[in-house]
Amino acid sequence: MNTSPNATRRARRLLASTGAALTLFTAASSADVDTTASSAHLSADEAVIGGTVDLTLRSPLVGAPGVLAFGSTSTPIPLGPVFPVLLVGIPFLTTSGVIGADGRMVVSLPIAPAYPPGTEVFVQGAVISLAPFKVFGSAAARLAPGGPTAGFAGTGLPAVTGVYGSVDVDWVDVDKDGKSDVLLANEGTGALPALLMNQGGSFVDEAALRLPAGAQIPLATVEAADVDLDGDADLFLGGGQDVGSPAANQMAINDGSGSFSLDGSFPGGAGVPLDGEFGDVDGDGDPDLMVANFQDPDHFAELPDGVELYLNSAGAFAADPTFSNLPATFVHTAGGSISLGDADNDGDLDLFIARADSGAGGVQNQLLENDGTGSFTDITALSIPPMVDNSFEAEFVDVNGDGLLDIVVANSIASVPGTNLLINLGVSGATGVVAFNDLSIFLPADLGPATDIRQGVDVADVEGDGDPDILIAIHQLFDDFGQLDGDAVLLLNLGGIQGQTLGTFAVDAGFDVGGGGFICSDAAFGDADQDGDPDVYLTSIGDLFSVQPPQDVLLLNSL
């Protein structure tokens, strides 16, 4: 491979007119670049014509088969003894041909706007002969934007006090002033909830002023909805772990100005709630509440509930015993979440249960079908592929624009792949229920360093190009070099301004949380600065060894 300074400068000059910057690097040692009959030579410094880069594979083996593989994200696939060929992205593009009489095989690769900004496009080549083939080099282009793109920058939040960080976040305008406030669950003995009131882009914690004394307890999850249909947002406050007393689930009712009182009639339930979600499951026009629970490790004598449905009747909630007795609604053993969405497109809310096992083996996630009245049937075996995962959170979202809700799942350790993408195929004529296909290959396999614990997921159109992008919350871990690393990851949908296949994704290399890795248990989109684009709130319980108090992160979108 030609890696001389002049060759590299020539390549960068030729690409400058397209807004791309090309970096050449040697994938094998210089000793591998020989002139024997089995050698090959890949270069990307020939020319740029009409927004393309010409890739040239050279070899003295005229007529021998040649292969180039290139795309938007990389997965190492060892195909040869010298260096692995990188098949890149899904769908990846592999081009084959033959070495011509001039000793070259030339392929043109389109540049902007085919790929998202900051994406590295890896290209590798090989010539196949009777002798073992070798791969001698590769070229990588970091491409410029093809349209308006999101750019995120940190902004100030109130300093966290105490030793416990936040584990769950919900954006909600509690005082009806048109600005999105932030409700935070903070867990651990002595922890207090936070209610960050939006002052027009800056925030002040007013939880002590607006939440009643009985709500000043550790919380594990929070969720907002207008449960009494009076035009303001009420709050579900899911009790967190506390050595002093079992978790207490509560409903806080808004007085219309953003001050709250506790509903003494709300059935608290037992166990620590992993997740809560509002939705009108019985079709009567008011929001019901789903809650997923697991065993409180501080109070093992307490028999926990499983997944519970609390039906809303004019603002009063009662547990539905028929639902709680379903075999599919057993207690969560480690982690997980619940998600409501119209999976079968019949006008009611179905239920996806993400589950994690305390062991390394994982457990099957579940899908329950709603008949429209709030009566559910477990259709897991007929509907979703058998996937033994340790899943922490899932979201319904139409990633490919076909009008059907797909499911994105964030998985923890021992789950491969770390993130699942279940594509909705519609109702199957054979089974009569909705069917999903596992197309996790449409997500990049590599999200960067230390990302095998993916704790949360949220979706929004961060670029305003009409397709949903995916945000993954990451638990910090040690990387391959023994350093702590791992930040939240933004996956760009390659439809819209990227001009590729809608519903396939690539890591946004420009998304930078800043400040190094930390344990982020939840990430949520909301419009903090009222400019119409989604900003990002990342919760933090600190990093693994820091003695400093954990600090949440708010990133403003500059679209």
Side-chain angles (χ1 to χ4, degrees):
M1 181 177 184
N2 184 359
T3 57
S4 69
N6 287 338
T8 303
R9 283 195 294 270
R10 183 167 65 252
R12 289 174 176 162
R13 263 198 320 272
L14 290 168
L15 283 169
S17 61
T18 69
L22 183 67
T23 302
L24 298 179
F25 59 95
T26 302
S29 69
S30 58
D32 292 318
V33 184
D34 54 37
T35 56
T36 62
S38 62
S39 68
H41 178 162
L42 174 66
S43 65
D45 58 346
E46 294 301 301
V48 175
I49 304 172
T52 64
V53 58
D54 286 349
L55 303 169
T56 302
L57 185 63
R58 295 182 178 89
S59 172
L61 296 176
V62 173
V67 177
L68 294 180
F70 50 86
S72 58
T73 58
S74 63
T75 302
I77 308 292
L79 297 181
V82 175
F83 194 79
V85 171
L86 298 181
L87 292 183
V88 285
I90 295 293
F92 58 79
L93 178 57
T94 301
T95 297
S96 58
V98 298
I99 302 298
D102 60 354
R104 304 193 307 170
M105 184 184 86
V106 180
V107 174
S108 294
L109 172 66
I111 304 186
Y115 299 98
T119 297
E120 286 187 340
V121 177
F122 295 90
V123 184
Q124 295 207 9
V127 175
I128 302 172
S129 67
L130 294 178
F133 69 84
K134 293 184 177 181
V135 180
F136 289 96
S138 54
R142 185 176 293 277
L143 303 176
T149 59
F152 291 89
T155 189
L157 286 172
V160 174
T161 58
V163 295
Y164 298 103
S166 53
V167 293
D168 194 36
V169 58
D170 198 17
W171 291 88
V172 53
D173 180 8
V174 300
D175 55 357
K176 298 193 298 183
D177 65 351
K179 297 188 289 290
S180 295
D181 309 305
V182 177
L183 177 64
L184 292 169
N186 298 316
E187 190 172 31
T189 299
L192 299 175
L195 181 54
L196 306 183
M197 301 302 296
N198 194 332
Q199 310 295 310
S202 62
F203 293 83
V204 176
D205 184 5
E206 298 184 2
L209 299 175
R210 295 178 178 271
L211 296 180
Q216 304 292 328
I217 60 173
L219 298 179
T221 188
V222 289
E223 194 75 14
D226 184 5
V227 302
D228 50 10
L229 304 183
D230 64 351
D232 52 41
D234 309 301
L235 309 177
F236 170 67
L237 307 174
Q241 294 176 216
D242 185 350
V243 296
S245 61
N249 297 337
Q250 303 178 103
M251 189 70 67
I253 304 301
N254 196 333
D255 68 358
S257 68
S259 293
F260 295 86
S261 59
L262 294 180
D263 177 3
S265 68
F266 181 77
V272 174
L274 287 167
D275 193 20
E277 185 155 350
F278 285 105
D280 181 11
V281 302
D282 55 4
D284 65 353
D286 52 29
D288 308 301
L289 175 65
M290 289 277 190
V291 179
N293 298 286
F294 82 115
Q295 178 71 59
D296 184 345
D298 291 323
H299 303 90
F300 278 104
E302 181 186 46
L303 183 64
D305 297 322
V307 180
E308 291 288 327
L309 168 59
Y310 297 96
L311 293 174
N312 185 350
S313 177
F317 288 84
D320 180 359
T322 301
F323 178 84
S324 61
N325 288 328
L326 288 175
T329 60
F330 58 89
V331 177
H332 281 68
T333 60
S337 73
I338 47 178
S339 304
L340 290 169
D342 187 1
D344 50 10
N345 215 24
D346 65 351
D348 56 44
L349 294 175
D350 307 300
L351 175 65
F352 184 84
I353 305 176
R355 290 191 175 275
D357 191 358
S358 56
V363 66
Q364 174 69 39
N365 294 326
Q366 299 162 293
L367 182 64
L368 277 63
E369 180 186 54
N370 188 351
D371 70 355
T373 69
S375 178
F376 289 83
T377 302
D378 184 4
I379 59 172
T380 301
L382 298 174
S383 207
I384 59 178
M387 304 169 72
V388 180
D389 289 323
N390 275 302
S391 301
F392 270 24
E393 191 170 20
E395 286 286 340
F396 280 102
V397 57
D398 180 9
V399 301
N400 54 8
D402 63 356
L404 301 174
L405 289 180
D406 312 301
I407 306 173
V408 182
V409 187
N411 297 315
S412 180
I413 277 182
S415 295
V416 179
T419 313
N420 294 132
L421 180 59
L422 303 180
I423 297 296
N424 194 328
L425 304 177
V427 174
S428 166
T431 64
V433 298
V434 63
F436 288 84
N437 190 15
D438 178 15
L439 290 180
S440 303
I441 56 173
F442 289 170
L443 298 173
D446 183 11
L447 301 190
T451 56
D452 53 346
I453 298 185
R454 305 171 189 194
Q455 293 196 244
V457 59
D458 201 11
V459 294
D461 181 6
V462 302
E463 303 153 305
D465 62 351
D467 54 34
D469 308 295
I470 300 172
L471 181 66
I472 305 292
I474 299 296
H475 186 303
Q476 175 192 56
L477 278 181
F478 288 101
D479 63 18
D480 293 338
F481 304 99
Q483 302 296 315
L484 285 175
D485 209 342
D487 276 330
V489 178
L490 179 61
L491 305 181
L492 295 178
N493 195 323
L494 297 185
I497 62 172
Q498 279 77 40
Q500 294 191 73
T501 305
L502 184 66
T504 61
F505 294 83
V507 173
D508 182 0
F511 183 77
D512 183 13
V513 172
F518 56 92
I519 300 173
C520 177
S521 60
D522 193 26
F525 288 110
D527 190 1
D529 50 9
Q530 300 172 268
D531 63 352
D533 55 37
D535 308 306
V536 173
Y537 194 102
L538 305 169
T539 67
S540 172
I541 59 173
D543 64 35
L544 291 179
F545 296 107
S546 174
V547 297
Q548 299 299 319
Q551 180 63 55
D552 293 351
V553 175
L554 175 61
L555 302 176
L556 296 183
N557 190 342
S558 61
L559 177 64

